[in-house]
Amino acid sequence: MVWAGSSGRPTLLFAFDAFEEAIVTRFEIGDDEFLLDGKPFRIISGALHYFRVHPAQWRDRIRSARLMGLNTIETYVPWNVHEPRPGEFTETGPDGRFDLIAFLRIVEDEGMRAIVRPGPYICAEWDGGGLPGWLLRDRTIRPRSSDPRFLEPATRYLSWVLGLVAPLQVDRGGPVILVQVENEYGAYGDDPHYLQVLTDTTRGAGITVPLTTVDQPSSTMIRDGSLPGLHKTASFGSQSRERLALLRREQPTGPLMCSEFWCGWFDDWGAHHHTTSTAAAAAELDEILSAGASVNIYMFHGGTNFGFTNGANDKGTYHPIVTSYDYDAPLDEAGRPTEKFWAFRDVIAKYADVPDAASDEPRRSPAFDAALRPGPGLLESAGAVSAWVEHAELPSMDDAGRNGGFLAYRTQLTGPDRPGVLSFDDVRDRAVVFLDGVRLGVLSRELHERALTLPRSHGELLVLVEDQGRVDYGPRIGEHKGLIGPARLDGEPLLRWQTLDVDADRLAAQVDASPAATSTSASPRFHLAEFTLDSPADLFLDSAGWGKGNAWLNGFPLGRYWQAGPQRTLYVPAGATQAGSNRLVVLEVDTLVSASARFLPAPELGQTEF
Ligand code: GLA
């Protein structure tokens, strides 16, 4: 089997034995190994999330995984993508980009095995850890628990998604060898009944392959996160020998597995770009493999939090995740092998057959500038397709029926002509405040800002709020977004609000170049650029001349940009571009310094720590 590599990626040079031609009928937990039809099988897997990669590039990434020596691809499944509204399931996701089954078929087609981690909670730096926004509209529901108001929709989703996966299991001739129950549950709860219901639901949906759990390497977490009959695995990125020994103490028999070998890390807005030492990561991988353990490298290829899909952490301070999920992984965000790829491949080659591969010249992307022309104001666009809705009291975003992105609030202030202090109980997550159309400032959750002094206490108060990503880890998962009341002016409750739904994806698709005359330059506004390409190509869109906002190319949501950094370029997957004319839409919420869309030849993910 030989294929020609396009430039910048590894090329397979020699044929290698066909991968397990015979249909496998059994995948089992042995005394100290996994068994494939009774023979020892070591899983050397890499995480690759179909929902973070353009479908046109799935096959390329999977091939690269095989060239690094992996025999398995692991993916989570985000519940919020596949059930966008209660009871409304979609196999391919809202815009057809999230076809899990098509992805698993490609994995199979490329001769790889698959591990599926369907949640219901996945963490993964993904919006809400995969929990749909609609699920927790009732604030009293306890997520990831035996609360029937959580369990009923969670099991309904699991039954649905596992019903799709079941025919793709290895004992039915498909690629799936393992399915995970929950995700690091021991770091969150200790309710065995909850795990039992999920397990029963999984089996009830026809899943016959071994079931696993993953937990951080602490005895308590490993115990709380699993049940007898579920195979325990661990997640870590260092001290592999000690951590595998701990896992062995907690589970005396069966294969050792590090289900998440963290070979890099993710980035938060406003912090540095994380990288890890290739030599140290390769040495850890060597330790795992030399211990005879199986591994899933997290991530083999991180990809991108396209659109509004990033999650956030909040351990006292809110930290939203950036758009890039490069993760300093063996394949970078654009699918190009890094130094880690070759180092990991050398390590794997000590323990398993690895196809011969050679690197091509690094790819450079087209570099050019395109003029940005002003388009309509965000709120004018929103007002043209939606009406303001009245509320007796300040609603959260969730109460107002918006899940993610932006919501506008307004109220009429009737106080005296002197300054007043506007305050909220909480701001989730970023509020741009206007009084009579004049921008007064920003309240930022990251800075714990909840109050602002207004120059006078009368006029139309307008607040544009952005949900910067739902928390995906820890006790704050499931919280409401938007302005959290009560709102007060000089300590007195501010009642009677209106909200305007702002569906940025939908509005961006409708943008035309004629600016609405009513917008001021200080208000959030769409901008437009057009450019031509000879053929589809990966691009790196530079946001250095812009403030804060989002971008779309030919309707594809590239994600958020922000001068807070560290990320400076947005990855534009070739699959979103086209030969001929291309149309870029930019929504700038703050200040656009440069009315130009600049594309750079290579990514700029920002300053590293060292
Ligand atoms: C844990 C979670 C993953 C991910 C990593 C960090 O291991 O299980 O989903 O959040 O941390 O990237």
Side-chain angles (χ1 to χ4, degrees):
M1 189 174 182
V2 177
W3 68 85
S6 57
S7 81
R9 56 199 61 226
T11 311
L12 187 65
L13 293 183
F14 303 107
F16 54 92
D17 290 343
F19 184 84
E20 297 288 345
E21 287 295 339
I23 292 195
V24 172
T25 52
R26 277 177 297 133
F27 191 76
E28 297 160 302
I29 307 276
D31 289 342
D32 51 11
E33 280 155 323
F34 289 107
L35 299 174
L36 189 60
D37 267 351
K39 295 196 203 92
F41 182 88
R42 188 213 291 261
I43 300 170
I44 306 180
S45 170
L48 199 177
H49 299 152
Y50 64 100
F51 44 93
R52 285 186 158 121
V53 179
H54 192 288
Q57 292 158 338
W58 287 345
R59 190 178 291 275
D60 172 77
R61 306 322 191 229
I62 294 165
R63 283 186 176 174
S64 293
R66 187 169 174 175
L67 285 183
M68 198 177 81
L70 304 184
N71 57 24
T72 304
I73 295 289
E74 177 273 315
T75 186
Y76 281 126
V77 184
W79 178 5
N80 51 6
V81 160
H82 292 285
E83 194 180 355
R85 276 164 293 281
E88 209 178 284
F89 294 103
T90 158
E91 281 187 40
T92 58
D95 51 6
R97 282 190 289 122
F98 303 94
D99 191 339
L100 165 67
I101 300 308
F103 175 79
L104 292 174
R105 289 273 179 224
I106 298 176
V107 170
E108 177 183 24
D109 203 35
E110 291 298 324
M112 311 276 284
R113 311 289 178 194
I115 300 172
V116 177
R117 305 200 286 168
Y121 162 81
I122 62 169
C123 193
E125 291 71 70
W126 190 253
D127 189 47
L131 301 180
W134 53 258
L135 180 70
L136 299 149
R137 226 160 255 174
D138 174 349
R139 296 174 210 219
T140 64
I141 296 177
R142 168 106 168 113
R144 305 176 73 193
S145 78
S146 291
D147 183 338
R149 296 166 304 166
F150 178 79
L151 264 185
E152 192 275 319
T155 52
R156 187 183 57 188
Y157 152 73
L158 266 190
S159 300
W160 174 82
V161 73
L162 292 172
L164 297 177
V165 171
L168 284 118
Q169 292 174 101
V170 74
D171 51 5
R172 301 209 208 162
V176 177
I177 53 173
L178 292 177
V179 169
Q180 183 181 293
V181 174
E182 245 279 352
N183 191 77
E184 291 190 339
Y185 179 65
Y188 180 83
D190 57 359
D191 175 359
H193 175 255
Y194 166 61
L195 290 179
Q196 192 61 55
V197 173
L198 298 187
T199 305
D200 294 346
T201 304
T202 304
R203 289 298 185 210
I207 297 299
T208 46
V209 295
L211 304 183
T212 59
T213 52
V214 66
D215 280 285
Q216 290 163 37
S218 113
S219 296
T220 319
M221 288 190 197
I222 292 173
R223 281 174 211 164
D224 289 347
S226 198
L227 291 178
L230 302 179
H231 190 64
K232 300 179 177 77
T233 73
S235 51
F236 52 81
S238 61
Q239 300 171 52
S240 301
R241 207 178 305 282
E242 295 88 322
R243 273 132 182 207
L244 288 173
L246 178 107
L247 179 60
R248 179 47 86 215
R249 285 199 295 282
E250 293 302 323
Q251 184 170 251
T253 64
L256 280 174
M257 181 165 183
C258 174
S259 273
E260 284 185 33
F261 165 51
W262 304 321
C263 67
W265 206 244
F266 54 85
D267 294 344
D268 305 323
W269 288 115
H272 64 271
H273 170 46
H274 290 81
T275 54
T276 58
S277 146
T278 294
E284 292 294 339
L285 179 62
D286 207 348
E287 242 177 59
I288 294 171
L289 296 180
S290 70
S294 283
V295 69
N296 176 49
I297 296 166
Y298 192 97
M299 299 291 301
F300 163 68
H301 171 51
T304 309
N305 296 311
F306 292 119
F308 293 97
T309 58
N310 66 279
N313 281 289
D314 191 334
K315 296 170 185 166
T317 297
Y318 176 73
H319 294 296
I321 313 289
V322 304
T323 300
S324 170
Y325 201 63
D326 178 89
Y327 218 86
D328 195 26
L331 279 197
D332 75 4
E333 187 182 7
R336 299 168 308 180
T338 63
E339 155 186 268
K340 229 173 237 173
F341 177 97
W342 300 107
F344 281 13
R345 187 173 170 280
D346 288 346
V347 171
I348 294 168
K350 290 166 62 178
Y351 303 93
D353 290 340
V354 166
D356 287 333
S359 63
D360 289 349
E361 286 299 301
R363 269 179 297 160
R364 306 287 285 173
S365 283
F368 58 94
D369 282 8
L372 270 181
R373 288 168 291 145
L378 176 66
L379 295 182
E380 288 77 0
S381 303
V385 296
S386 305
W388 288 91
V389 177
E390 306 274 347
H391 303 270
E393 285 177 37
L394 183 77
S396 70
M397 234 180 192
D398 306 66
D399 295 334
R402 166 129 291 277
N403 177 20
F406 298 93
L407 182 73
Y409 290 77
R410 76 178 177 194
T411 190
Q412 202 60 42
L413 304 181
T414 53
D417 195 20
R418 57 172 162 71
V421 173
L422 172 70
S423 65
F424 302 97
D425 200 48
D426 204 0
V427 172
R428 301 183 190 150
D429 305 300
R430 189 174 190 268
V432 189
V433 182
F434 300 85
L435 187 61
D436 288 331
V438 176
R439 183 181 167 119
L440 297 182
V442 172
L443 295 176
S444 160
R445 174 175 174 184
E446 283 160 281
L447 302 175
H448 303 273
E449 291 170 329
R450 290 166 193 157
L452 189 80
T453 301
L454 306 180
R456 59 184 181 282
S457 304
H458 60 85
E460 186 196 70
L461 177 71
L462 187 140
V463 186
L464 177 69
V465 182
E466 179 184 355
D467 162 4
Q468 292 184 267
R470 289 186 189 265
V471 169
D472 60 69
Y473 183 82
R476 297 193 68 143
I477 54 169
E479 67 187 1
H480 278 210
K481 289 292 192 173
L483 295 177
I484 306 301
R488 297 180 194 277
L489 186 60
D490 284 335
E492 291 301 313
L494 268 181
L495 303 173
R496 287 195 298 280
W497 287 80
Q498 293 184 321
T499 58
L500 177 67
D501 193 60
V502 182
D503 183 344
D505 285 315
R506 177 178 169 204
L507 300 175
Q510 298 168 353
V511 162
D512 65 41
S514 52
T518 52
S519 297
T520 67
S521 59
S523 59
R525 179 187 282 275
F526 287 106
H527 301 261
L528 237 172
E530 263 141 24
F531 58 89
T532 58
L533 291 173
D534 294 339
S535 55
D538 282 346
L539 302 173
F540 301 100
L541 175 60
D542 187 6
S543 67
W546 307 341
K548 184 175 197 322
N550 292 68
W552 293 259
L553 187 77
N554 301 324
F556 184 89
L558 302 175
R560 296 174 156 106
Y561 65 83
W562 195 5
Q563 63 187 358
Q567 174 172 7
R568 173 173 161 176
T569 53
L570 286 179
Y571 172 56
V572 183
T577 68
Q578 57 200 26
S581 173
N582 289 266
R583 192 164 189 271
L584 177 76
V585 171
V586 175
L587 167 63
E588 174 59 55
V589 174
D590 289 352
T591 308
L592 198 82
V593 177
S594 158
S596 164
R598 167 161 294 186
F599 293 88
L600 302 183
E604 291 272 357
L605 295 180
Q607 176 78 44
T608 57
E609 194 172 20
F610 304 108

